[in-house]
Amino acid sequence: MAMSIRKNDQVVVRAGKDRGKRGRVLSVLPEKNRVVVEGVNMIKRHTRPNPQKNIKGGIVEREGPIHISNVMLVCPACNKPTRVGYKVEFVPEKVTLKDGTVAERRKRRLVGRICRRCDATLDK
């Protein structure tokens, strides 16, 4: 499955204990269909001190992963939660057939992501 949300995207949480919070995507875990969002789903991690890696022991609070279906991308142009669309263009490509004639076919090429509300491009 193609991930419509990428790192550094601004998202809003749609479900769960942090519903309504906005944050930046810190990392994407495509194999688990999850994203880590800044300031959302904070978990407490008990860590042991490790002098070799210069880590202090104690209780560390950090972000946990949240399922991608529970977040929605925020369009930078209209500043509203939106679904993600894809802009596709067709590029002509010359192909040689078995009988030796040259034919032209249209090949699909992904241009980028777009906002479904205002049709603004989401990629820089």
Side-chain angles (χ1 to χ4, degrees), residues 13-80:
V13 179
R14 303 295 286 172
K17 64 180 183 182
D18 293 317
R19 182 177 182 181
K21 284 188 180 177
R22 285 186 182 213
R24 187 173 55 92
V25 176
L26 299 175
S27 67
V28 179
L29 310 167
E31 61 279 350
K32 294 183 179 179
N33 282 337
R34 292 180 177 269
V35 291
V36 177
V37 182
E38 191 174 38
V40 173
N41 195 21
M42 298 302 284
I43 56 173
K44 292 189 180 198
R45 174 86 185 197
H46 296 74
T47 57
R48 298 181 89 164
N50 189 345
Q52 291 176 342
K53 294 184 180 176
N54 203 12
I55 296 173
K56 279 187 171 180
I59 300 171
V60 179
E61 224 178 329
R62 65 185 184 106
E63 293 90 355
I66 186 170
H67 200 270
I68 198 159
S69 66
N70 295 333
V71 296
M72 201 171 197
L73 188 75
V74 175
C75 174
C78 60
N79 204 24
K80 292 180 183 173

